[in-house]
Amino acid sequence: MHNNSTILFKYTTAIYLLFNCITVAGQSKYKPTDLFPAVPILPAGNEYRAATGEPGPKYWQNQADYTIDVSLNDAAHTITGTVTVTYTNNSPNALKVLWMQAEQNAFRKDSKGVLSKLFLYQNTDVKVPDGGYQISGIKTAGANGRDIKYNIYDTRMELQLPEPLLSGQKISFSISYSYNFPVNYKNADFLVNRTDILPTKNGEIFAVAQWYPRMCVLDDVEGWNTLPYLGNGEFYLDYGNYEVNITVPSSYIVEASGDLQNAEEVLTPTQLKRWQAAKASDAPVFIRTAKEVTDAAAKPAKATSTWKYKLSNSRDFAWTASKSFIWEALSFPIAGGKRVIGSSLYPIESDKKDSWRRSSEYIKFTIQHFSEKWLAYPYNKAVNVASNLDGMEYPAMVFCSAKDTGNAYFMVVNHELGHTWFPMAVGANERKYAWMDEGFNTFIDNLAVKEFNKGEFVGYQQIYAPMDTIFSERAVPIMTRPDAIPGDMVFPIQYQKVAYVLTLLRNRIVGAERFDRAFKKYMHDWAYKHPTPWDFFRSIDNSFGEDLSWFWKSMFIENYRLDQSIVKVDAKERAVTVMNMDRVAMPLEVEITYADGTKEQRKFPVEIWQYTNTYTFTANNTGKAIAKVVIDPESAYPDINRANNTFEVK
């Protein structure tokens, strides 16, 4: 019940507040209703993806199993073979066509990637070798296999099925194919950053990836995900089982994502004994030493060898082959008790104490640390291969730079193996949302590096882009397709900015324990599934019990900027007035220094900005004069203009 005087007081107060906001609004871009809306900014949950951020009761994804038989012609730099795909339709709909990725076609001279110049250094015009897949036929599996009609559109291949593949059914088909390696070192202007050949004095190192036609993902969000492969946008793949047979000259050592099935057939008796010893050894065992690289007696006495591998529940498969490898391995336990093999292969040129000699040490730390903190490592081994790639990740195998040393080498090994968790386990769509693997991975890397050898390295943190880069007017939102980001901004936006804002959320807004518990739950809920950004946002919101719309919109969906400013200090009344000058809202942290040198720390939640762009508070100490007020004294927040963060009383 209200009397007239109460009503009049409320209306008068409201008019005063409105007038005050209008008065200062001319100096501020901030609109409270933009970040604190009544209508949700996230799409509603459904039976496939729950509003709680968890997979829904009818969540589904298809399965793609592969049996691959290939041969490497090391002289011609070609791969020839057959891939047999068994595809299971778990969707609720019948499928009349299937779509596959054919990423090697990006290296054709007229590909979208080449014409977009995303594969070229410095946007130059160069002669591009005409590569890509040569498909000699596609047939359904079995003795009476039927031809499958297909169409190739750049890096996508459409298969027209003889009859619809009903929900719950499987189809098996075989593709006969070959391709030439796109070799970067022969043409310095031609950027090939995920599959390549590194020349060394004792032989070439083949880094073999995106090497077989792979199924596109069919999901409940966008149907068939058929974005072309242009270079920056990486991969989105279904999970399945792999059987892979790789035939190479017998002088070659091969390693791969899967578990070796026939070590006794491809290794010498000495190598086999060492390999078996390494599986139980806590210290590195050299399966092939530096001296044995050039020793003909340390190689099988036959023309070719076929290395056979198996891998379960994986989204991809990669391998390497070379005559030049030093090969060492060890094993170590991870959370849950399973032992994992750490396998390192590198040329003599990389055999340095501050580089590849520490590979086993870095593998062991990374796999053990991430398994303990987040999610158990899913594979039986972790392979680190020296290459001329700056770093590229695959299930159970990474390619790291043969030249890196010191912090750079630790950083790349830790980061590439960290991709086991994003996106190998938590399988987001990298082609659209690179930040869901690169940014998340950089974030957990930055936590891990502090734990390694009493902080020996700084990892990525030494090369953080400054705030005026990642929050510049030129910066695009994190939620930008990677191929649409200017090349020099990919790393600052998709890696560094994501790691920075997640660290901000963890350390300043909700607290480390609360954040880590929520982040771990997201990882466990979506392990070996396909989360979207909305699933991530909803998962974190529900774990926190908070509506973080203001954070997701300003930091991820838009490129909003923070500028908190001290606009007035009334020393007599001990009143401090702060204004939100730009479009971001953040908690407010203020340090007050009194004339006698004592300090007072004040913290205010983000809710102070829900209806106004100004906030006034009163200092607690009544008996001392205020000398100085500073916003964000630890520079923890991404304030773009710190010149207005300090007010000194004259």
Side-chain angles (χ1 to χ4, degrees):
M1 189 173 187
H2 304 284
N3 58 36
N4 289 338
S5 61
T6 302
I7 295 173
L8 179 61
F9 173 78
K10 289 194 171 184
Y11 277 126
T12 304
T13 303
I15 291 171
Y16 170 79
L17 290 172
L18 177 61
F19 177 78
N20 187 57
C21 287
I22 292 173
T23 301
V24 299
Q27 306 169 45
S28 173
K29 300 177 183 177
Y30 180 65
K31 297 179 180 179
T33 55
D34 186 34
L35 295 186
F36 298 96
V39 177
I41 67 168
L42 305 182
N46 55 47
E47 60 188 356
Y48 305 121
R49 297 168 188 272
T52 55
E54 300 161 316
K58 291 188 178 180
Y59 175 83
W60 58 268
Q61 63 190 44
N62 290 345
Q63 180 169 330
D65 299 323
Y66 298 88
T67 299
I68 309 175
D69 291 274
V70 292
S71 296
L72 169 67
N73 185 323
D74 60 333
H77 291 171
T78 61
I79 285 179
T80 303
T82 301
V83 54
T84 299
V85 182
T86 299
Y87 188 69
T88 304
N89 178 20
N90 294 319
S91 80
N93 302 316
L95 306 178
K96 296 181 180 179
V97 300
L98 303 180
W99 284 92
M100 301 191 74
Q101 294 285 352
E103 285 108 346
Q104 283 298 322
N105 288 350
F107 304 108
R108 289 180 173 171
K109 61 184 178 182
D110 59 349
S111 76
K112 291 185 177 184
V114 168
L115 295 178
S116 300
K117 299 189 176 181
L118 293 175
F119 277 89
L120 309 181
Y121 285 120
Q122 300 176 346
N123 207 31
T124 54
D125 288 307
V126 297
K127 183 178 180 181
V128 177
D130 195 7
Y133 285 124
Q134 300 297 316
I135 306 293
S136 57
I138 304 178
K139 290 179 176 290
T140 58
N144 300 314
R146 291 181 288 172
D147 289 336
I148 295 179
K149 295 180 180 180
Y150 62 94
N151 299 299
I152 296 176
Y153 308 106
D154 194 57
T155 59
R156 288 74 47 81
M157 184 162 61
E158 176 194 34
L159 278 60
Q160 299 176 1
L161 300 181
E163 55 265 335
L165 182 65
L166 302 180
S167 178
Q169 286 187 337
K170 297 181 180 182
I171 185 174
S172 294
F173 56 91
S174 296
I175 304 173
S176 299
Y177 74 101
S178 65
Y179 74 91
N180 300 322
F181 271 83
V183 181
N184 184 36
Y185 72 85
K186 289 186 177 180
N187 185 344
D189 294 318
F190 188 45
L191 175 59
V192 179
N193 56 352
R194 293 191 175 93
T195 184
D196 214 336
I197 305 174
L198 171 66
T200 76
K201 65 180 181 181
N202 292 316
E204 296 172 320
I205 296 176
F206 290 83
V208 190
Q210 288 80 65
W211 57 286
Y212 59 98
R214 306 183 292 184
M215 294 301 305
C216 293
V217 172
L218 175 71
D219 64 26
D220 60 284
V221 180
E222 297 194 39
W224 285 106
N225 287 261
T226 56
L227 282 178
Y229 175 48
L230 301 177
N232 285 335
E234 293 185 336
F235 314 109
Y236 186 30
L237 301 165
D238 276 319
Y239 291 89
N241 303 314
Y242 288 79
E243 293 188 17
V244 179
N245 304 317
I246 303 164
T247 300
V248 297
S250 63
S251 57
Y252 276 64
I253 293 292
V254 175
E255 255 289 27
S257 294
D259 299 326
L260 182 61
Q261 302 297 298
N262 63 333
E264 69 284 352
E265 295 178 5
V266 295
L267 301 180
T268 66
T270 299
Q271 291 169 349
L272 179 61
K273 183 178 179 180
R274 294 170 180 173
W275 173 242
Q276 291 170 338
K279 292 180 180 181
S281 174
D282 293 321
V285 174
F286 281 91
I287 301 160
R288 186 162 76 167
T289 66
K291 181 180 179 181
E292 291 169 336
V293 169
T294 56
D295 184 358
K299 301 169 185 177
K302 53 184 177 180
T304 63
S305 296
T306 299
W307 299 62
K308 299 178 181 181
Y309 295 91
K310 287 187 178 181
L311 182 62
S312 300
N313 195 29
S314 176
R315 70 199 295 272
D316 201 3
F317 192 102
W319 54 281
T320 186
S322 182
K323 294 183 291 187
S324 70
F325 281 143
I326 298 170
W327 186 12
E328 66 174 83
L330 79 167
S331 87
F332 48 85
I334 63 169
K338 181 177 77 171
R339 291 189 74 88
V340 172
I341 300 169
S343 180
S344 302
L345 303 98
Y346 50 94
I348 288 173
E349 294 93 321
S350 300
D351 187 15
K352 302 173 183 177
K353 65 180 181 179
D354 63 342
S355 183
W356 282 81
R357 286 184 194 170
R358 298 189 71 179
S359 176
S360 291
E361 180 186 3
Y362 298 166
I363 291 173
K364 179 180 178 179
F365 166 77
T366 299
I367 302 304
Q368 287 184 329
H369 176 83
F370 288 143
S371 293
E372 178 68 29
K373 187 166 183 62
W374 303 116
L375 182 74
Y377 185 75
Y379 313 115
N380 295 324
K381 66 179 180 181
V383 182
N384 186 22
V385 183
S387 71
N388 58 343
L389 310 180
D390 289 335
M392 192 58 205
E393 70 279 359
Y394 298 94
M397 168 171 275
V398 298
F399 298 111
C400 294
S401 172
K403 298 179 180 179
D404 279 343
T405 60
N407 181 76
Y409 180 61
F410 171 83
M411 180 177 68
V412 72
V413 175
N414 184 243
H415 179 78
E416 302 311 332
L417 287 174
H419 274 300
T420 300
W421 287 265
F422 303 103
M424 304 309 159
V426 185
N429 184 347
E430 300 173 86
R431 192 150 296 174
K432 293 196 75 171
Y433 311 113
W435 59 271
M436 293 185 75
D437 78 296
E438 299 296 357
F440 288 178
N441 187 19
T442 303
F443 167 71
I444 63 174
D445 293 344
N446 289 341
L447 295 178
V449 70
K450 298 173 185 177
E451 304 297 324
F452 177 75
N453 202 20
K454 300 180 181 180
E456 178 182 357
F457 298 117
V458 295
Y460 274 108
Q461 296 181 87
Q462 73 165 3
I463 51 173
Y464 259 141
M467 292 299 101
D468 58 3
T469 296
I470 64 177
F471 287 99
S472 67
E473 293 282 5
R474 178 171 172 260
V476 298
I478 289 171
M479 287 272 284
T480 300
R481 187 185 299 177
D483 287 314
I485 301 176
D488 64 333
M489 294 298 286
V490 171
F491 186 67
I493 299 300
Q494 303 282 268
Y495 295 67
Q496 295 175 304
K497 186 173 183 178
V498 177
Y500 171 82
V501 298
L502 289 180
T503 301
L504 178 67
L505 182 62
R506 178 184 189 263
N507 293 349
R508 310 302 295 203
I509 299 174
V510 299
E513 188 278 332
R514 192 178 176 194
F515 180 94
D516 291 356
R517 181 160 30 90
F519 200 59
K520 187 172 182 177
K521 182 181 186 306
Y522 164 73
M523 295 174 68
H524 280 255
D525 284 346
W526 289 97
Y528 316 108
K529 296 182 176 66
H530 297 313
T532 67
W534 316 122
D535 298 316
F536 172 67
F537 298 151
R538 286 191 293 235
S539 175
I540 299 299
D541 277 3
N542 279 270
S543 287
F544 287 167
E546 304 279 357
D547 180 356
L548 294 176
S549 296
W550 57 275
F551 189 83
W552 307 131
K553 183 167 185 180
S554 61
M555 294 290 101
F556 286 82
I557 299 172
E558 305 287 353
N559 181 41
Y560 288 174
R561 307 199 294 172
L562 174 69
D563 183 10
Q564 296 176 337
S565 172
I566 301 174
V567 295
K568 184 179 180 181
V569 176
D570 187 329
K572 182 178 179 180
E573 299 294 331
R574 307 185 330 282
V576 178
T577 300
V578 178
M579 180 186 291
N580 231 4
M581 303 295 293
D582 221 306
R583 304 186 71 175
V584 168
M586 284 286 169
L588 175 64
E589 298 188 16
V590 179
E591 179 182 82
I592 301 170
T593 302
Y594 293 100
D596 66 355
T598 59
K599 298 178 185 293
E600 175 186 334
Q601 308 292 333
R602 298 292 296 276
K603 295 183 179 182
F604 304 93
V606 72
E607 283 79 6
I608 65 175
W609 306 115
Q610 284 194 114
Y611 68 91
T612 180
N613 53 26
T614 60
Y615 184 74
T616 300
F617 67 93
T618 302
N620 286 330
N621 199 310
T622 60
K624 298 180 181 180
I626 295 175
K628 184 169 70 171
V629 181
V630 179
I631 294 174
D632 188 20
E634 297 179 19
S635 298
Y637 291 88
D639 199 309
I640 62 169
N641 180 19
R642 296 197 175 273
N644 58 21
N645 284 22
T646 301
F647 190 104
E648 296 194 39
V649 178
K650 304 299 183 182

